[in-house]
């Protein structure tokens, strides 16, 4: 099978096309013929720095798949050959999804929503799971107000929709040129964070979802009510600021969950959740896809189409 591998960490040109043997599913796993793989910032971070320390070269990156099951490992009864599935596989272990075929634990997969293409379903995995898990952690409730940073991004565009689906009032930050896109996702208000600091435009929210980190994270404390929540996916909130402002904080790392994928599928099938795919590339063009993702200007998601 074709796979885009790396044999060293570094710039996008370390990604090389290789011909590798088909992987065999272990007990409890299936083999999936990959139709689409989505790209996340973690892909280029691992490629550049190797920060998850995978050492079994050739390493194959990629976690977010949608495709069709073509072989079953021992003991698998939940799925059959021919089923269309999607999921974030093995994260944060090596995903090995930049390939024509990949094996995956059954527990990391769910049935692909019938109304989504493989490209859309692949987009709706790591980023949407992250947003869902952040809201579970902060127990986002009907009627609460949440500020979502980077509402146009991969995580942010799902977060806006998922927060609305929970009945929250949603304020999101975005550059002015993405304002209409984010309003179209259902945001009640969009703040142009470049024109004016967001903390001068909003106050006393129940919760913040930080997808940016750094200063954006530390400045977010100022806009949260006492007793409110700050969940970050991009930095460690300060315990000192949390105590001083009486804010609950947590940095989360997304984890695979079939149950959570099933919730996302239900919302997608009900028309309450859509994946916005702004750019697609062929598997062999993954270096270009990484370069595009690294701009930090992605609107929605970037996806590799494999079949
Ligand atoms: N902990 C976890 O489990 C987890 C999971 C997923 C992602 N992450 C991390 O979360 C971050 C976001 O991921 P992503 O997939 O959403 O990234 P992304 O799609 O690349 O985000 C791009 C968006 O970021 C916006 N942006 C850039 N700088 C901004 C700023 N200072 N303030 C507000 N918006 C800004 C841009 O919006 P405009 O063009 O509108 O300005 C763009 O739409 C990354 O660092 C990623 O590694 C962590």
């Amino acid at each position: 099978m074709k796979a885009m591998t790396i044999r060293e960490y570094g710039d996008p040109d370390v990604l090389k096309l290789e011909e590798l043997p088909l992987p065999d599913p272990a007990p409890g796993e299936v083999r999936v013929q990959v139709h689409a793989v989505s790209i996340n910032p973690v892909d280029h971070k691992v490629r550049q720095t190797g920060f998850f320390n995978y050492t079994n070269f050739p390493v194959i990156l990629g976690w977010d798949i949608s495709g069709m099951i073509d072989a079953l490992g021992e003991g698998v009864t939940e799925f059959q050959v021919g089923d269309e599935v999607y999921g974030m596989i093995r994260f944060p272990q090596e995903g090995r999804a930049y390939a024509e075929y990949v094996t995956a634990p059954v527990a990391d997969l769910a049935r692909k929503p019938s109304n989504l293409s493989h490209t859309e379903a692949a987009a709706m995995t790591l980023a949407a799971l992250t947003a869902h898990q952040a809201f579970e952690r902060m127990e986002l409730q009907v009627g609460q107000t949440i500020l979502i940073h980077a509402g146009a991004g991969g995580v942010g565009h799902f977060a806006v929709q998922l927060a609305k689906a929970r009945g929250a009032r949603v304020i999101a930050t975005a550059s002015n040129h993405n304002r209409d896109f984010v309003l179209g996702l259902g945001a009640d208000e969009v703040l142009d964070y470049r024109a004016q600091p967001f903390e001068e435009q909003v106050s006393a929210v129940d919760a913040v979802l930080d997808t940016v980190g750094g200063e954006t994270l530390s400045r977010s404390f100022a806009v949260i009510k006492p007793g409110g929540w700050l969940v970050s996916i991009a930095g460690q909130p300060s315990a000192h600021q949390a105590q001083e402002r009486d804010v609950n904080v947590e940095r989360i790392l997304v984890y695979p969950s079939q149950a959570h994928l099933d919730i996302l599928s239900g919302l997608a099938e009900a028309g309450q959740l859509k994946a916005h795919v702004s750019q697609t590339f062929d598997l062999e063009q993954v270096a270009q896809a990484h370069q595009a993702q690294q701009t930090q200007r992605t609107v929605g998601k970037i996806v590799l189409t494999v079949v």
Side-chain angles (χ1 to χ4, degrees), residues 88-112:
M88 177 188 75
I89 57 175
R90 301 186 196 279
F91 190 81
Q93 306 301 314
E94 188 188 345
R96 300 185 74 80
Y98 293 171
E100 290 179 304
Y101 294 86
V102 68
T103 60
V106 164
D108 294 358
L109 297 171
R111 278 172 212 288
K112 179 176 82 63

Side-chain angles (χ1 to χ4, degrees), residues 39-45 51 91 126-127 130-131 133 148-157 173-179 182 193-194 198 210-213 216 232-235 251-255 292-301:
I39 304 286
N40 294 284
V42 68
D43 296 36
H44 65 74
K45 291 177 188 176
F51 76 75
F91 190 81
L126 186 149
T130 303
Q133 290 169 7
I148 296 169
H149 287 298
V155 176
H157 92 290
T173 61
S175 295
N176 195 41
H177 59 268
N178 286 327
R179 179 184 170 77
V182 179
Y193 67 96
R194 295 181 195 240
F198 64 84
D210 167 50
T211 63
V212 177
T216 300
S232 180
I233 60 165
R251 177 184 197 167
I252 63 161
L253 182 67
V254 64
Y255 55 91
Q293 181 73 63
Q294 278 179 261
T295 62
Q296 298 185 1
R297 296 271 77 88
T298 301
V299 175
K301 296 287 299 172

Side-chain angles (χ1 to χ4, degrees), residues 5 10 15-16 37-38 52 75 82 85 140 161 167 171 177-178 192-193 217 223 261 266 274 286 307:
T5 68
L15 288 154
K16 305 275 193 225
V37 191
S38 88
F52 288 144
V85 290
L140 185 65
Q161 299 175 71
I171 304 171
H177 59 268
N178 286 327
D192 179 354
Y193 67 96
L217 165 55
V223 308
L261 288 172
K274 287 194 171 70
V286 64
V307 174

Side-chain angles (χ1 to χ4, degrees), residues 178-256:
N178 286 327
R179 179 184 170 77
D180 289 345
F181 170 67
V182 179
L183 286 172
L185 300 169
D188 297 286
E189 268 184 68
V190 177
L191 310 181
D192 179 354
Y193 67 96
R194 295 181 195 240
Q196 193 184 358
F198 64 84
E199 63 272 36
E200 293 175 11
Q201 305 183 62
V202 62
S203 62
V205 298
D206 297 290
V208 170
L209 173 59
D210 167 50
T211 63
V212 177
E215 255 198 42
T216 300
L217 165 55
S218 56
R219 285 162 43 210
S220 292
F221 280 96
V223 308
I224 305 172
K225 279 180 188 163
W229 263 99
L230 170 51
V231 170
S232 180
I233 60 165
Q236 183 60 51
S238 144
H240 174 71
Q241 280 180 297
Q243 195 179 24
E244 202 174 62
R245 311 272 322 185
D246 184 21
V247 168
N248 302 291
V249 294
E250 188 142 331
R251 177 184 197 167
I252 63 161
L253 182 67
V254 64
Y255 55 91

